[in-house]
Amino acid sequence: MSRIQQVATQAPPDAKFPRLLAFLQFWKWLLPYLRDFIHQDAPYQTYPNGKSGIFSVAAPPGDGPMRIAVAADWGTGTLEAETVAENMKASSPHYTLHLGDVYYMGEAVEIAENCLGVATKNYTGVLWPTCSLGSFALMGNHEMYSGGQGYFTTFLTTLGLLAPDKTVRDPQSASYFCLEAEHWLVLGLDTGYHSGGVPAFTAIPGLNSIPFFNVDARFDDKMLAWLKQTMDILQAKSSTKKPILLLTHHQPMSSFEHAFKKPVKQLAELGFLNGQEFVWLYGHEHRLTVYEKQTLGNGLTGYPRCIGHGGMPVEITKLSQPDSKIRFYDPRQHPIDQEDPNTKVGYNGHIVLLFDGTKLTIEYRDILNNNLLLTETFTPNGAGGLEYLPVKPADSALLSGQQIS
């Protein structure tokens, strides 16, 4: 039985899923965490000889644009996670992407229950939607709380490009990948492996300066070598640089929490993003926040989007004063469930990527009726920049960064 099911003692006897409230009761996780604290991390996996980690992706003829459904911090096994998964499937995506975090420890049994749909005596399992052509996933810090073995041995083996019979024909053999579309590159980069740390303690001021507690979410040297080689290969194929959509678990910037700057520095040192605007999607923070174009440090210019609202209780996002860094945020809140009307959380959801020629469109979808909250389009201008156009429906609940809540 998974950790979440062990602590979800307040769920009604006939409940099919554990209550979301269990994830807010951190003290109940402390003993299970301490039991797994002393462990050996799984070896860092790389792509075997003959496999580049570059996957060609496209929509089948006549079924364009190519659609990719994306969620982050989704692996809770709750009704909310099940609903988001069903909403993801509603767009008939060709591919799906998870940006990491299977709760609470990322153990094999939790991945089986929360991602592979394996039912237990108490609860219905939840199945990650692999869809028609393939599915890929990053790891987050929670997978590393138990050393990453569950991610590498249980989840990763189900991921990659799929054959018509839904078996894996080209596996994702490492915790990072490159999806090569006709006009865009999607880089999934692993910030999770070096982020296990000690939950809660790393948020205490000063503790991150102590090496034992320090979590910098850095890219592993083996992945950096792969990334340099990959970009060299791709840039040698064409004189025109494709625009890049970057995926990580951890945030490079934030108006609300600690930002992880080490991966930003590492990307800048590689140089392939210098002078090129890009889009950066990430989770870790359990909220939906769309930022203005930012100079992220070290000369990198990107469009950061926090989409960590896939399955965990969503942080209530409030602004007491305008924030010029924020384009849109979701201020809504609701009781976590009918049994506890006083505990308030935000709303879960996911996004859908649509690749239509050179244009990338991002649809932000709500857990409620799969409602559309926002549409953004990014079109390369031929000079390293991206033309940006947001369209917010009149009934969208999102506020601008100039509106306080």
Side-chain angles (χ1 to χ4, degrees):
M1 183 182 297
S2 72
R3 301 301 188 201
I4 179 58
Q5 295 182 3
Q6 289 176 5
V7 302
T9 55
Q10 297 178 356
D14 60 345
K16 293 183 178 181
F17 304 96
R19 290 177 66 191
L20 198 62
L21 180 64
F23 290 96
L24 298 182
Q25 299 167 335
F26 179 78
W27 63 93
K28 292 186 176 182
W29 300 104
L30 186 58
L31 184 57
Y33 173 79
L34 292 176
R35 283 201 299 265
D36 279 355
F37 179 73
I38 299 176
H39 62 259
Q40 183 175 2
D41 288 347
Y44 197 72
Q45 290 189 196
T46 58
Y47 285 92
N49 292 336
K51 295 294 183 180
S52 66
I54 303 172
F55 301 85
S56 294
V57 293
D63 191 25
M66 182 176 71
R67 300 177 296 278
I68 303 179
V70 187
D73 300 80
W74 171 87
T76 57
T78 59
L79 177 60
E80 288 78 7
E82 170 75 8
T83 303
V84 167
E86 291 299 315
N87 287 347
M88 292 171 71
K89 290 190 290 186
S91 63
S92 299
H94 302 107
Y95 306 91
T96 54
L97 303 175
H98 186 224
L99 303 192
D101 268 3
V102 180
Y103 301 91
Y104 189 78
M105 310 292 295
E107 295 171 314
V109 65
E110 292 177 309
I111 289 172
E113 295 166 1
N114 298 348
C115 299
L116 304 184
V118 177
T120 67
K121 178 180 178 181
N122 295 324
Y123 296 113
T124 300
V126 177
L127 181 64
W128 171 250
T130 53
C131 297
S132 61
L133 299 182
S135 188
F136 298 82
L138 300 174
M139 66 155 52
N141 49 299
H142 280 263
E143 287 88 335
M144 288 305 298
Y145 287 168
S146 58
Q149 289 89 350
Y151 169 84
F152 285 117
T153 63
T154 304
F155 199 19
L156 198 59
T157 55
T158 70
L159 301 171
L161 298 180
L162 300 180
D165 64 356
K166 295 300 182 75
T167 59
V168 178
R169 64 174 178 85
D170 192 359
Q172 179 192 333
S173 304
S175 52
Y176 49 87
F177 53 85
C178 173
L179 306 184
E180 184 182 13
E182 183 179 4
H183 297 286
W184 281 77
L185 297 178
V186 180
L187 293 177
L189 304 181
D190 176 14
T191 60
Y193 190 80
H194 293 291
S195 69
V198 182
F201 294 112
T202 53
I204 299 175
L207 277 190
N208 266 330
S209 64
I210 302 173
F212 176 77
F213 291 101
N214 182 35
V215 172
D216 57 8
R218 69 187 181 278
F219 297 140
D220 191 87
D221 289 343
K222 293 178 181 178
M223 194 205 75
L224 284 173
W226 167 86
L227 181 56
K228 182 181 185 307
Q229 182 182 44
T230 295
M231 297 312 299
D232 288 345
I233 291 172
L234 293 172
Q235 290 174 1
K237 289 171 60 175
S238 173
S239 59
T240 302
K241 293 177 67 173
K242 292 182 179 181
I244 289 175
L245 172 62
L246 188 63
L247 313 173
T248 60
H249 177 70
H250 290 84
Q251 65 267 25
M253 60 87 62
S254 176
S255 288
F256 306 99
E257 298 183 17
H258 168 74
F260 295 86
K261 296 297 186 180
K262 181 66 174 180
V264 178
K265 181 179 179 182
Q266 290 174 302
L267 285 171
E269 290 172 348
L270 286 178
F272 68 89
L273 285 172
N274 294 345
Q276 181 179 3
E277 295 179 358
F278 58 96
V279 182
W280 194 331
L281 303 177
Y282 53 88
H284 193 62
E285 286 186 60
H286 303 145
R287 69 178 85 243
L288 170 62
T289 311
V290 175
Y291 290 96
E292 300 282 3
K293 181 169 67 174
Q294 302 285 320
T295 299
L296 296 170
N298 304 94
L300 300 186
T301 302
Y303 290 83
R305 273 92 182 94
C306 178
I307 57 168
H309 63 320
M312 279 288 278
V314 175
E315 302 282 350
I316 296 174
T317 303
K318 291 184 177 181
L319 292 182
S320 57
Q321 59 185 17
D323 188 330
S324 61
K325 298 191 196 70
I326 295 176
R327 166 75 68 162
F328 298 111
Y329 71 102
D330 189 349
R332 295 175 298 162
Q333 55 183 279
H334 66 93
I336 194 165
D337 60 35
Q338 61 184 4
E339 303 296 327
D340 186 6
N342 296 321
T343 299
K344 301 297 197 319
V345 293
Y347 283 79
N348 298 100
H350 74 286
I351 68 168
V352 179
L353 309 173
L354 300 99
F355 295 85
D356 189 4
T358 61
K359 182 173 67 175
L360 166 64
T361 299
I362 305 179
E363 295 181 347
Y364 295 80
R365 294 282 177 177
D366 195 24
I367 192 172
L368 296 178
N369 303 313
N370 212 17
N371 289 333
L372 181 65
L373 296 173
L374 174 69
T375 299
E376 299 179 300
T377 59
F378 298 89
T379 307
N381 63 10
L386 293 172
E387 300 293 337
Y388 173 65
L389 177 64
V391 177
K392 186 166 73 78
D395 59 351
S396 173
L398 300 186
L399 297 182
S400 79
Q402 299 304 305
Q403 297 174 286
I404 61 175
S405 54

